[in-house]
Amino acid sequence: VQFHRRDYPRFFAVKIALLGAGTVGGGVLRLLRENRAQIAKRAGQEITPVIVAVRDVDRARQRLGYDDVLLSDDALSAATHPDADAVVELIGGESIARECALAALANNRPLVTANKALLAKSGAEIFQAAAARNLTVGFEAAIGGAIPIVKTLREALAANRVDAVCGIINGTCNFILSAMEKSDCDFAAALAEATKLGYAEADPSLDLSGADAAHKIALIAALAFGAPPRFAEVKIQGIAGINGADIRAARDFGYCIKLLAIARRTDSGALVYVRPALLPHGHLLAAVGGAMNAVMVDADAAGDTIYYGAGAGSAPTASAVVADLIDLAAKRAGLPPECDAPLTVADLRLHPTPHYLRFTVIDRPGVLAQIAQILAARMISIEAIRQTESRENEPVDVVFLTHKSAHGAVLDAAAEIERLDFVAHPATVMAIEEL
Amino acid sequence: VQFHRRDYPRFFAVKIALLGAGTVGGGVLRLLRENRAQIAKRAGQEITPVIVAVRDVDRARQRLGYDDVLLSDDALSAATHPDADAVVELIGGESIARECALAALANNRPLVTANKALLAKSGAEIFQAAAARNLTVGFEAAIGGAIPIVKTLREALAANRVDAVCGIINGTCNFILSAMEKSDCDFAAALAEATKLGYAEADPSLDLSGADAAHKIALIAALAFGAPPRFAEVKIQGIAGINGADIRAARDFGYCIKLLAIARRTDSGALVYVRPALLPHGHLLAAVGGAMNAVMVDADAAGDTIYYGAGAGSAPTASAVVADLIDLAAKRAGLPPECDAPLTVADLRLHPTPHYLRFTVIDRPGVLAQIAQILAARMISIEAIRQTESRENEPVDVVFLTHKSAHGAVLDAAAEIERLDFVAHPATVMAIEEL
């Protein structure tokens, strides 16, 4: 066995085809230019764009100010440009991006992408196409922006059995929940603030619905457990149902509400899900505010480790893309995750945690007794109850914290309670995550 | 340019010489055995100990329960064992460890070590010996236990100019300061508790003096800035001077006290230092309790990222050692940091931050005026003052927070104030770090 590092040829150029020059692509171009000397040194060679695919060539020429690079509005041709050694897909979306990624691999070019939707849904196809040609696929930028969670799971924790990963990996949702907590405002006001500051897109539905976080946790599960989940099996719940009353009630009990994306090994398979949940105020993830991201990994040897940073934005995401390119140039990029068989996904309904339940009820005798009876009938035992002071003819909020109970049993109980005639609004049901 | 990953030969064994089978070495043996199949898969080949150097062969044979591995009490011979493909140095200390490391490299074997004292002081010699033979040196386990800060600085943030790194990287000191904060106890009681729980060694001086954290920040500076500092130029202050009164006074102003190890780029060179300092309670590093470690990196593209985990202990440190071995086996281990010229280290005395000063004084008219005059004469302006209630004939504590002032000016002013006849005890002077 010889352990010498190969003497790589040094300081010839690595030419890339860059597909997309928007927020992230523009950041990659800027970073490659601004830190050019250092990147060349670390990579062992220069990394230069040979062609950039954009929507509008003239506008892009003005905006980017690059005179020495070929611009094209034909992404698919750019993906197979004969001078490109590697292809960076930053178009986003699923159809053209998928075509370009597969074309690049078919043309024997390694791929770097920030496209979590693409990989979560078509990952098996793309990873298999890469593996068949012994090509690498870099996707550090697809999860958690600047946070090196892909490298950490693949390399730094490679000796560990990973038992659970829990992340705050959607900056938009975290900004909104943090704003509701901090300013005691309602969901709509917090969303407006997020939009104004650029933390929410014009159409924020992919973020608010939990789908974006689900794409990322599906990829994390593939890395952590060695097999990708079928995306349709990932349980997803967004934050649209959370209101100020929940934030305040949770706070009174010593909790905050976070949108958590979780992948957890269990005896009956892996749980992979996204949902708003309660975290105790003392927990380090509870302190992750604004649009920041953080990922906690529970591994058998390393124990709990946490990785925190900007989950989005031009420069942080570009940092991850270029790190993948440097790994590629330095010939240490990792092979794609295995996709021989999908991950066995366990039933979240069977997963027991304590729960938070809030019911808005007409205040009259016997209400509490009826709710308590329904909970008891499903073996859900109550840990704490609080009721807001009642004003005449106004419904009151009753909040329950339960002991550990299966998620499905709690959902069923809540649905049964909601059908009672004294319940004024739909209930809020959230798990209390014990990390 | 060809970007195919090489097809490595798979599933032949990588044989290691393991020097030291104490806390960390024992952990490495356990981890290699327990996660054997996964490690072989990730590494592309099996990693097995071929010889283990121990202090007492008979005792080790019983304790380790390994029948199939050669034990030896001759570390230097083990370091050059003909069947070993790589050498893992976990002896600690500086003299024998240094000899063994150099012998391994001279014998053309790559090195993995957890020895921060060795690398901080003899790093240039060891790294140059490795570079001369194109050999790798893995030292992820030398800093922050399970936290992958070496890999992050070398690889994940490779596209960035790193501007500052700030770490809580001595678990013993953090345990003690956290215990003083939590239980309102004094230094001696907190140290006793740390010793009882195994967080402080029988001789804790290397930890309490700040030397251990200094070893680590010297290595971090070498990675972050591309050149190692001369260890003698690292400014070091330990935590022995901190007492309960400081913890309480800092808390009243909204701060906690942490032992911080900092490497910071400035116009006049790099600041590299270890000292107890104040951090505002809202800062994420302020929430790092017990014996845990955390490192914050401020990089130009990635922004602020934080890495948190167990900084010591058998399994977390073994996780890092085996990650280095897997990188080695997968042929993606990094070459040693460059050591052509030492880092230009800037003068900490010139570095301006806000400061905390506590004086214990005899309570009599004119005391405050005299202190304020001395501060004013050195252009140190006061942000806040608090004085404890005075009891007759008892000295009182007066605490000042200053605006940004050069560290040296504040130290000089404090020394001048200490010489006044109404000052009862030495002053406490700490920077307030603005991270």
Side-chain angles (χ1 to χ4, degrees):
Chain A
V1 188
Q2 274 298 310
F3 277 109
H4 282 129
R5 272 298 244 109
R6 284 197 297 174
D7 278 317
Y8 297 123
R10 292 199 158 247
F11 293 99
F12 55 86
V14 173
K15 301 192 189 81
I16 60 167
L18 184 63
L19 314 184
T23 305
V24 180
V28 169
L29 287 172
R30 236 180 338 270
L31 188 54
L32 286 176
R33 189 160 41 177
E34 278 172 14
N35 290 356
R36 183 170 159 270
Q38 174 182 304
I39 290 168
K41 198 170 169 188
R42 302 269 176 94
Q45 45 198 299
E46 276 201 32
I47 298 172
T48 49
V50 60
I51 184 167
V52 181
V54 296
R55 227 175 291 210
D56 182 322
V57 169
D58 293 335
R59 278 229 317 258
R61 175 79 63 200
Q62 287 199 326
R63 186 167 50 85
L64 298 170
Y66 254 103
D67 286 330
D68 51 342
V69 70
L70 191 60
L71 297 181
S72 159
D73 56 9
D74 181 351
L76 195 57
S77 299
T80 53
H81 192 280
D83 291 345
D85 305 312
V87 176
V88 181
E89 184 279 303
L90 301 172
I91 300 171
E94 290 168 48
S95 71
I96 300 173
R98 177 178 156 277
E99 253 185 281
C100 291
L102 291 172
L105 295 170
N107 192 37
N108 258 326
R109 294 296 178 271
L111 178 69
V112 172
T113 177
N115 195 330
K116 49 256 175 189
L118 175 68
L119 293 182
K121 296 194 180 162
S122 309
E125 184 185 14
I126 288 170
F127 292 143
Q128 275 163 355
R133 294 170 181 83
N134 203 25
L135 293 165
T136 66
V137 178
F139 54 100
E140 187 63 80
I143 315 167
I147 302 173
I149 189 63
V150 174
K151 185 177 275 285
T152 296
L153 288 170
R154 289 175 119 168
E155 301 176 15
L157 297 175
N160 291 256
R161 184 193 68 232
V162 172
D163 291 317
V165 183
C166 174
I168 294 171
I169 49 180
N170 183 277
T172 308
C173 290
N174 202 53
F175 181 90
I176 290 171
L177 293 172
S178 301
M180 288 172 75
E181 173 89 39
K182 214 170 65 182
S183 324
D184 249 324
C185 64
D186 225 318
F187 180 81
L191 173 57
E193 175 81 359
T195 309
K196 206 182 80 184
L197 295 175
Y199 291 124
E201 295 182 47
D203 174 7
S205 54
L206 205 63
D207 295 308
L208 303 186
S209 67
D212 174 77
H215 295 149
K216 296 167 182 166
I217 198 68
L219 280 171
I220 285 177
L223 292 169
F225 306 139
R230 287 188 195 87
F231 186 68
E233 291 187 68
V234 178
K235 284 277 170 299
I236 313 174
Q237 187 190 335
I239 63 164
I242 310 300
N243 62 38
D246 294 309
I247 302 273
R248 286 188 296 276
R251 186 197 295 142
D252 285 348
F253 281 111
Y255 294 92
C256 69
I257 299 173
K258 294 284 182 193
L259 182 74
L260 298 179
I262 294 182
R264 186 189 300 279
R265 196 186 286 274
T266 76
D267 290 341
S268 51
L271 290 166
V272 188
Y273 60 96
V274 173
R275 65 184 182 192
L278 277 70
L279 273 184
H281 273 132
H283 197 282
L284 284 170
L285 289 187
V288 174
M292 299 302 283
N293 283 17
V295 182
M296 185 167 105
V297 182
D298 172 10
D300 65 345
D304 283 344
T305 51
I306 300 179
Y307 310 87
Y308 166 94
S314 175
T317 312
S319 167
V321 169
V322 180
D324 274 347
L325 288 170
I326 294 174
D327 274 2
L328 201 58
K331 296 201 166 53
R332 62 172 180 244
L335 287 172
E338 286 179 66
C339 301
D340 304 339
L343 189 66
T344 304
V345 171
D347 187 353
L348 185 57
R349 285 180 55 89
L350 302 178
H351 182 54
T353 68
H355 280 78
Y356 161 103
L357 296 130
R358 181 171 63 83
F359 301 102
T360 305
V361 299
I362 317 284
D363 189 22
R364 70 181 190 215
V367 162
L368 215 58
Q370 260 185 282
I371 295 177
Q373 241 167 31
I374 292 174
L375 293 173
R378 295 182 191 266
M379 308 300 287
I380 297 163
S381 84
I382 296 164
E383 147 98 37
I385 309 183
R386 280 201 200 172
Q387 182 178 324
T388 52
E389 267 179 73
S390 57
R391 270 179 272 168
E392 211 157 340
N393 294 327
E394 295 241 336
V396 295
D397 273 3
V398 194
V399 177
F400 296 82
L401 300 194
T402 76
H403 287 288
K404 232 178 220 199
S405 315
H407 189 52
V410 177
L411 288 176
D412 292 347
E416 190 177 340
I417 293 165
E418 274 178 343
R419 285 195 296 271
L420 297 175
D421 66 343
F422 56 74
V423 177
H425 302 302
T428 311
V429 184
M430 280 184 283
I432 300 174
E433 287 291 352
E434 297 176 305
L435 304 174
Chain B
V1 187
Q2 274 300 309
F3 277 107
H4 282 130
R5 274 293 247 109
R6 284 197 296 172
D7 277 317
Y8 297 123
R10 291 199 159 247
F11 293 100
F12 54 87
V14 172
K15 300 192 190 83
I16 59 167
L18 183 64
L19 315 184
T23 305
V24 180
V28 169
L29 288 171
R30 236 180 336 269
L31 188 54
L32 287 176
R33 189 160 38 179
E34 279 173 14
N35 290 356
R36 184 170 158 270
Q38 174 181 306
I39 290 167
K41 196 170 170 189
R42 302 267 176 98
Q45 43 198 301
E46 278 202 31
I47 298 172
T48 49
V50 60
I51 183 166
V52 181
V54 296
R55 226 176 291 210
D56 182 321
V57 169
D58 292 337
R59 279 228 315 256
R61 176 77 64 201
Q62 287 199 326
R63 185 167 50 85
L64 298 171
Y66 254 103
D67 286 330
D68 50 342
V69 70
L70 191 60
L71 297 181
S72 160
D73 56 9
D74 182 351
L76 195 56
S77 299
T80 54
H81 192 281
D83 291 345
D85 305 313
V87 175
V88 182
E89 184 279 304
L90 301 172
I91 300 170
E94 291 169 46
S95 70
I96 300 171
R98 178 178 155 278
E99 254 185 280
C100 290
L102 291 172
L105 295 170
N107 193 37
N108 258 326
R109 293 296 177 273
L111 179 69
V112 171
T113 176
N115 195 328
K116 49 256 177 189
L118 175 68
L119 293 182
K121 295 192 181 165
S122 309
E125 184 184 13
I126 288 169
F127 292 143
Q128 276 162 355
R133 292 172 183 82
N134 203 24
L135 293 165
T136 67
V137 178
F139 55 99
E140 187 63 81
I143 313 167
I147 302 172
I149 189 64
V150 174
K151 182 176 277 287
T152 296
L153 288 170
R154 289 175 120 170
E155 301 175 17
L157 297 175
N160 290 256
R161 184 193 68 232
V162 172
D163 291 318
V165 183
C166 174
I168 295 171
I169 48 181
N170 184 276
T172 308
C173 290
N174 202 53
F175 181 90
I176 290 171
L177 292 172
S178 302
M180 289 172 75
E181 173 91 38
K182 211 170 67 181
S183 324
D184 248 324
C185 64
D186 225 317
F187 181 80
L191 173 57
E193 176 81 359
T195 310
K196 206 182 80 186
L197 296 175
Y199 292 124
E201 295 183 46
D203 174 7
S205 53
L206 205 64
D207 294 308
L208 303 185
S209 67
D212 174 76
H215 295 149
K216 295 167 182 166
I217 198 69
L219 280 171
I220 284 176
L223 292 169
F225 306 139
R230 288 187 195 86
F231 187 68
E233 292 187 68
V234 178
K235 285 279 168 300
I236 313 173
Q237 188 191 334
I239 63 164
I242 311 300
N243 63 38
D246 294 311
I247 301 273
R248 286 187 296 275
R251 186 197 296 144
D252 284 350
F253 282 110
Y255 294 92
C256 70
I257 299 173
K258 294 285 181 194
L259 183 73
L260 297 180
I262 295 182
R264 187 189 299 280
R265 196 186 286 274
T266 77
D267 291 339
S268 51
L271 290 166
V272 189
Y273 59 96
V274 174
R275 65 184 182 192
L278 277 68
L279 273 185
H281 273 132
H283 197 282
L284 283 170
L285 289 186
V288 175
M292 298 304 279
N293 283 15
V295 182
M296 184 167 107
V297 181
D298 173 10
D300 64 346
D304 283 344
T305 50
I306 301 180
Y307 310 87
Y308 165 95
S314 177
T317 313
S319 166
V321 169
V322 179
D324 275 347
L325 288 171
I326 293 173
D327 274 0
L328 203 57
K331 296 199 168 53
R332 62 173 180 244
L335 287 171
E338 286 180 67
C339 300
D340 304 339
L343 189 66
T344 304
V345 172
D347 187 353
L348 185 58
R349 285 180 55 88
L350 302 178
H351 183 55
T353 67
H355 280 79
Y356 160 104
L357 295 128
R358 181 172 61 85
F359 302 103
T360 306
V361 300
I362 317 284
D363 189 24
R364 69 184 191 212
V367 161
L368 215 58
Q370 260 185 284
I371 294 177
Q373 242 165 32
I374 290 173
L375 293 173
R378 294 182 190 267
M379 309 299 290
I380 298 162
S381 83
I382 296 164
E383 147 100 39
I385 308 181
R386 279 201 202 171
Q387 182 177 322
T388 52
E389 266 178 73
S390 58
R391 270 179 270 167
E392 211 159 342
N393 294 326
E394 293 239 337
V396 295
D397 273 3
V398 193
V399 177
F400 295 82
L401 301 194
T402 76
H403 286 288
K404 233 180 218 196
S405 315
H407 190 53
V410 177
L411 289 176
D412 291 347
E416 191 179 337
I417 293 164
E418 274 179 341
R419 284 194 297 271
L420 297 175
D421 66 343
F422 57 74
V423 177
H425 301 301
T428 312
V429 183
M430 279 183 285
I432 300 174
E433 288 289 353
E434 296 176 305
L435 303 174

